[in-house]
Amino acid sequence: MAPRDPKDGGGGGGGDGGSAADPESDIEAPLLVSSGSSFFLDPSCEDGGEGDEEQRRRRRRFLLGDHKRSNTTSQVALVGADVCPIESLDYELIENDVFKQDWRARGRGHILRYVALKWVLCFLVGTLAAAAGFVANLGVENVAGAKFVVTSNLMLDGKHGSAFAVFLASNFALTMLAAVLTVYVAPAAAGSGIPEVKAYLNGVDAPNIFSLKTLIVKVVGCIAAVSSSLHVGKAGPLVHTGACIASILGQGGSRKYHMTCKWLRYFKNDRDRRDLVTCGSAAGIAAAFRAPVGGVLFALETVSSWWRSALLWRAFFTTAMVAVVLRALIDFCKSGKCGLFGKGGLIMFDVTEDYVTYHLVDLPPVITLGVFGGILGSLYNFFLDKVLRLYNLINEKGKTYKLLLAATVTICTSCCLFGLPWIASCKPCPTDTEEACPSIGRSGNFKKFQCAMNEYNDLASLFFNTNDDTIRNLYSAGTDDEFHISSILVFFAASYFLGIFSYGLALPSGLFVPVILTGAAYGRLVGMLIGSQSTLDHGLFAVLGSAALLGGSMRMTVSVCVVILELTNNLLMLPLVMLVLLISKVVADAFNANVYDLLVRLKGFPHLEGYAEPYMRQLSVSDVVTGPLQTFNGIEKVGHIVHVLKTTGHNGFPVVDEPPFSDTPTLYGLILRDHLLVLLRKKDFIWSCTASTLNASKHFAHDEFAKRGSGKQDRIGDIELSAEELEMFVDLHPFTNTSPYTVLETMSLAKALILFREVGLRHLLVLPKSSKRAPVVGILTRHDFMPEHILGLHPFLFKSRWKKVRLGKLKVTSIL
């Protein structure tokens, strides 16, 4: 039997409860009193701060795939580059006396101010996310551009050795800059950040994932990593950047920096912060691809676990602001004041034919593209999973190994990028092109490399460019004869595996752009092999190849379709892109899950799916509730409260009234750890175990019970109480949530999961079927719905466990 997880409930439940769901309207959202946060473990994400060696060993074993054992460490997950403690978010309204009095005191002006503040914050999120995206693009284009200009000039002078030394040294320095910043300053900034954002919007929080230092390292590290010619992208880091900006703006002010304006206090709850972070993630995609509608759909389809019409409008407004600000900044750069950046516009790859025609004869090649795109995408996820498990073993050894791994990969990548073009033969420059051939400098389709003046190296044209310029070259129309099939094959293979090995290093890195780039090469390759049977241009095959690989790896359909159309500004491709995405997704779903679900699972986040596993219908909630139940009396001794808070990590405690305060033991409600800490800090105690005449609303402000920022916490050890105070009592009634969600112990676990997730709970009280028993028998939290916990308690379910194979919305099941 798996041991109890002493983190969230007051016994009888485990794990971290809560998910990104909220059935309430905007008008009800400003009710401020929300759940507190408490980390059972040291909240530091530094090496050695995640618990004892046994816990680290269990987590490492679980992350490396020993799923037959129960996961007994579900309070820690791989956040960025380090193992960190995690906790749940809670979207339930805490209806106690303080809360009700505050709500009654609010008038129409408060509601209007609250709604206006939401739109103002969305405006700020969109503006700042656009600025961050612009800075990232500006930095990459100038830093990488300067590197390629110097290297190309040395190659032009025949100094091949010096060119390689400059190329290798600059890539190494940029990679190590990103890795050092990440490892020593903000480990949570490693990777794309999309799994962390996805987990947060599902209801899982971790320290420092949205902190200011994570934001700064994410932007600076992203510029350095992408400029270092590693096959990583900036889309994922910009999603995390947008979420960081939104979370920081939604912290509700800061007493430390004397930012305590009354307007800022409205967002001191998990529910509004979740909505703002959703808008921030949409703004990140909009800033990365200059695709505002695609950003909204990405947030809806990929990262968000909960959606509603009001949130749709705010997300759309946020991404619209991104587009407006980017337009203004790009127009400014067209004057030549931004160095090597500023030649493009809002449309990143406006390079295909103005008028796309296709016929029935084109369908077989397009279908073939989709089928093999699905297979390659699922293989991409498979290999990435294996490589990341290997990287976890290496990174587990400490910070030095993380840096050595990053150094090894960047050196191998640089050797590969510089060495492979030498195997390509030179091609004569075309006579009908408007572009200079050979192109000397950063961008262009005709890199000279080692060739004569009237020749170019087509493979070097692909390798010696920024990712954006390479994609633009592959998407270009009328370039069917500019690339040799062997060069495209070599570039596809190298890009495919370099993208896999570059992700997972301890630095900011994204998957979106490498998959687009690899898919473009795959599309070109298919176009060269079977394009003679089609009327489509090879550049159009490259666009469809990107869509096929994105559908096969990330399994996004609507959002990818719109992003591709916004990137290329060609609505005529819509039917073909839709067909390719649907086929590739269906094919890939037959093999494994999408890449972000694999990453969430690999990192160990307790993510709640929107459906119940079939074996959950065989169990009732009483089958998973274990461990002793810790409760408090309505009027409790201070010393007992302190003892319980010091010896447990529970976040919620049932409050039970017993005689003489009630005829029989009666469940009064649920009180949170953070609320107890507020009571202990204020020291408004009573001398005897009698009902208090204290008017709670006059002695306590509702702001004192509001949720603090992401990852922040109070500690019981910071509160000093005298021996006399420990013998006193405190009346918990005015501060207890009198209407917590409850279920009978006979309810099926599957039904309880749907309630838990859709309402967005952290605690779900389990009541007895018989009135002769104790008024509450346990607490369900997120941990109790995790397959590792359930199958650990009931191993016989392994034999009857259903293994899902997803085909679109259809779920085909078979006995494992």
Side-chain angles (χ1 to χ4, degrees), residues 267-291:
F267 276 71
K268 283 184 174 290
N269 62 85
D270 290 329
R271 310 169 73 191
D272 287 320
R273 287 173 185 159
R274 173 205 58 200
D275 288 354
L276 204 57
V277 168
T278 303
C279 294
S281 64
I285 285 291
F289 296 119
R290 306 168 201 174

Side-chain angles (χ1 to χ4, degrees), residues 529-578:
L529 293 174
I530 62 176
S532 59
Q533 305 173 22
S534 171
T535 62
L536 300 179
D537 184 88
H538 288 181
L540 181 54
F541 268 106
V543 175
L544 296 177
S546 294
L549 206 58
L550 283 171
S553 175
M554 300 183 180
R555 316 293 160 81
M556 296 181 291
T557 52
V558 180
S559 57
V560 165
C561 184
V562 173
V563 166
I564 291 292
L565 296 180
E566 289 185 290
L567 283 175
T568 58
N569 195 32
N570 202 325
L571 190 61
L572 295 173
M573 295 190 304
L574 177 61
L576 295 180
V577 174
M578 291 175 62

Side-chain angles (χ1 to χ4, degrees), residues 493-796:
S495 177
Y496 189 90
F497 289 104
L498 286 177
I500 293 173
F501 284 101
S502 296
Y503 189 81
L505 302 178
L507 45 76
S509 56
L511 283 170
F512 219 110
V513 172
V515 172
I516 291 178
L517 179 60
T518 305
Y522 159 68
R524 276 267 178 175
L525 184 61
V526 172
M528 291 178 174
L529 293 174
I530 62 176
S532 59
Q533 305 173 22
S534 171
T535 62
L536 300 179
D537 184 88
H538 288 181
L540 181 54
F541 268 106
V543 175
L544 296 177
S546 294
L549 206 58
L550 283 171
S553 175
M554 300 183 180
R555 316 293 160 81
M556 296 181 291
T557 52
V558 180
S559 57
V560 165
C561 184
V562 173
V563 166
I564 291 292
L565 296 180
E566 289 185 290
L567 283 175
T568 58
N569 195 32
N570 202 325
L571 190 61
L572 295 173
M573 295 190 304
L574 177 61
L576 295 180
V577 174
M578 291 175 62
L579 179 63
V580 166
L581 282 170
L582 289 172
I583 293 174
S584 61
K585 182 185 185 312
V586 169
V587 171
D589 276 339
F591 296 101
N592 51 32
N594 71 74
V595 67
Y596 293 126
D597 283 347
L598 288 175
L599 291 174
V600 167
R601 190 178 306 120
L602 182 63
K603 286 175 170 288
F605 288 112
H607 188 274
L608 289 179
E609 299 292 348
Y611 56 87
E613 298 283 357
Y615 60 81
M616 290 184 178
R617 302 194 181 278
Q618 304 177 38
L619 302 173
S620 64
V621 295
S622 61
D623 293 325
V624 298
V625 173
T626 59
L629 180 65
Q630 179 64 60
T631 65
F632 287 130
N633 294 320
I635 299 178
E636 187 60 76
K637 189 175 182 179
V638 173
H640 180 62
I641 296 176
V642 171
H643 171 75
V644 171
L645 294 182
K646 285 185 175 180
T647 55
T648 70
H650 304 319
N651 181 72
F653 303 88
V655 176
V656 177
D657 274 337
E658 297 184 351
F661 300 103
S662 62
D663 295 333
T664 59
T666 304
L667 175 65
Y668 186 80
L670 183 79
I671 192 166
L672 302 178
R673 168 181 285 264
D674 266 16
H675 296 182
L676 290 171
L677 293 176
V678 171
L679 297 179
L680 295 178
R681 190 179 296 107
K682 292 281 285 188
K683 299 183 180 181
D684 283 334
F685 305 143
I686 55 179
W687 288 99
S688 61
C689 185
T690 57
S692 173
T693 59
L694 173 71
N695 188 338
S697 61
K698 293 183 178 180
H699 289 75
F700 293 88
H702 63 278
D703 288 349
E704 297 180 82
F705 296 95
K707 177 69 179 286
R708 299 186 64 185
S710 177
K712 298 179 180 178
Q713 61 172 312
D714 290 321
R715 296 177 181 273
I716 182 62
D718 298 332
I719 300 176
E720 296 182 0
L721 297 170
S722 64
E724 184 181 23
E725 290 170 332
L726 292 175
E727 296 298 322
M728 299 176 70
F729 296 85
V730 59
D731 189 352
L732 301 181
H733 292 103
F735 315 99
T736 300
N737 179 14
T738 57
S739 57
Y741 282 88
T742 61
V743 296
L744 287 177
E745 60 182 342
T746 54
M747 176 182 284
S748 72
L749 190 61
K751 191 174 180 180
L753 170 64
I754 300 302
L755 172 65
F756 192 94
R757 186 183 189 275
E758 293 304 317
V759 178
L761 302 178
R762 183 169 183 172
H763 310 100
L764 185 59
L765 300 185
V766 180
L767 305 184
K769 186 71 172 178
S770 172
S771 60
K772 297 180 180 180
R773 298 172 57 191
V776 58
V777 298
I779 299 179
L780 286 175
T781 61
R782 178 175 292 261
H783 172 81
D784 296 297
F785 297 104
M786 293 296 105
E788 300 82 29
H789 172 67
I790 299 170
L791 298 175
L793 292 176
H794 306 283
F796 71 92

Side-chain angles (χ1 to χ4, degrees), residues 148 231 416-427 444-451 456-465 470 473-474 482-495 521:
F148 285 126
H231 266 55
C416 180
L417 298 184
F418 194 90
L420 286 177
W422 291 89
I423 67 176
S425 58
C426 297
K427 299 187 66 175
N445 285 359
F446 309 103
K447 289 292 184 180
K448 180 178 178 296
F449 207 64
Q450 86 286 7
C451 299
Y456 72 97
N457 187 317
D458 59 345
L459 191 53
S461 299
L462 298 174
F463 279 129
F464 268 67
N465 264 324
T470 302
N473 293 344
L474 291 170
E482 290 185 4
F483 300 99
H484 193 274
I485 188 171
S486 61
S487 297
I488 293 294
L489 178 61
V490 170
F491 179 76
F492 165 69
S495 177

Side-chain angles (χ1 to χ4, degrees), residues 156-167:
L156 182 64
D157 295 337
K159 301 177 181 179
H160 300 155
S162 299
F164 174 67
V166 169
F167 185 69

